[in-house]
Amino acid sequence: MREQAEWWVDRQEEMRLLRTALRERRSLLVWGPADVGKTALVDRVTGQSDAVLRLNGCAVVQDALREIVRRLFECGDPLVREWIAREESAPRAARWIGRQTSARLRGLLFRAAPHGRYAIILDHVPPLSHSMARLLKEVMGRSETPVYLVARGFSQAEIGYAWSLFWTDRYRLPLRGLPESDARRLLETCIRRCG
């Protein structure tokens, strides 16, 4: 763990704020310039928890619903597993999920999510459409499932209609570039480790 800690420089405050948001089940936009460590920060704080449903690149409602239900199935959500088992065997779950309508997947999501205390992370998504933002708002409100969006900014041009979900600083966690002294320390650590 000491070796891993050397690579992690000056993000203690952001880690604390993200942990607090997770504990309070408060949705948050983690934003900052490219390669500043947004995804690394989220991954480090959330770890490998089954309750964290990561969606990379899903910007279409149907795709997002399929991916969320697939992840719920994979993490062993009892309601999702029972529902799918009524119609399909476990090895064919992905095919069953692919055949379902958005309405049916949405219904399954809203039945399962409140019981599992899940969190959803969206990363590497283009600006979100109005329908995708509406789905996230419904997930956040109706199922009390927090959503963590990882993006390069917080304007409508950068995150699309999701800007209306993260409209104030209370719902935003900015990541800035490292101060020069910390960047130098990280560089020296890299040189020592990698030559």
Side-chain angles (χ1 to χ4, degrees), residues 12 14-24 44-45:
Q12 288 73 22
E14 291 90 345
M15 288 172 60
R16 185 188 66 74
L17 292 170
L18 184 53
R19 281 189 183 113
T20 299
L22 280 163
R23 188 174 53 255
E24 294 174 354
R44 185 170 175 99
V45 170

Side-chain angles (χ1 to χ4, degrees), residues 23-137:
R23 188 174 53 255
E24 294 174 354
R25 302 193 52 73
R26 180 172 33 94
S27 295
L28 203 61
L29 168 67
V30 179
W31 71 276
D35 299 323
V36 79
K38 300 176 298 288
T39 300
L41 174 76
V42 171
D43 287 348
R44 185 170 175 99
V45 170
T46 60
Q48 299 300 315
S49 171
D50 281 341
V52 175
L53 310 173
R54 286 178 171 75
L55 307 178
N56 290 326
C58 287
V60 177
V61 171
Q62 180 77 14
D63 294 342
L65 287 167
R66 284 185 179 130
E67 189 63 16
I68 291 169
V69 171
R70 185 181 70 76
R71 303 251 177 178
L72 288 168
F73 179 83
E74 287 175 353
C75 74
D77 182 89
L79 195 136
V80 170
R81 286 192 167 255
E82 178 186 329
W83 194 332
I84 292 174
R86 286 186 213 150
E87 298 179 31
E88 201 69 65
S89 65
R92 296 182 181 160
R95 190 167 54 188
W96 181 90
I97 291 167
R99 289 192 317 254
Q100 303 311 303
T101 65
S102 292
R104 193 154 191 216
L105 293 171
R106 186 184 299 256
L108 183 52
L109 166 63
F110 290 125
R111 283 187 180 89
H115 303 290
R117 304 226 2 117
Y118 298 105
I120 296 174
I121 297 172
L122 281 93
D123 198 355
H124 301 103
V125 293
L128 299 182
S129 67
H130 187 272
S131 59
M132 187 66 177
R134 191 173 56 231
L135 171 66
L136 295 181
K137 182 177 182 178

Side-chain angles (χ1 to χ4, degrees), residues 122-195:
L122 281 93
D123 198 355
H124 301 103
V125 293
L128 299 182
S129 67
H130 187 272
S131 59
M132 187 66 177
R134 191 173 56 231
L135 171 66
L136 295 181
K137 182 177 182 178
E138 197 174 1
V139 165
M140 292 160 57
R142 185 172 165 189
S143 68
E144 298 178 1
T145 300
V147 172
Y148 301 94
L149 178 62
V150 180
R152 292 191 179 171
F154 59 86
S155 71
Q156 186 170 6
E158 294 158 315
I159 63 173
Y161 286 93
W163 69 269
S164 65
L165 304 175
F166 305 102
W167 58 278
T168 181
D169 287 343
R170 172 171 161 64
Y171 304 112
R172 299 181 194 145
L173 175 60
L175 261 68
R176 311 271 189 240
L178 292 174
E180 186 176 336
S181 62
D182 291 326
R184 189 179 314 272
R185 194 171 81 215
L186 180 60
L187 177 62
E188 289 169 2
T189 300
C190 292
I191 291 170
R192 269 195 322 273
R193 291 232 21 239
C194 302

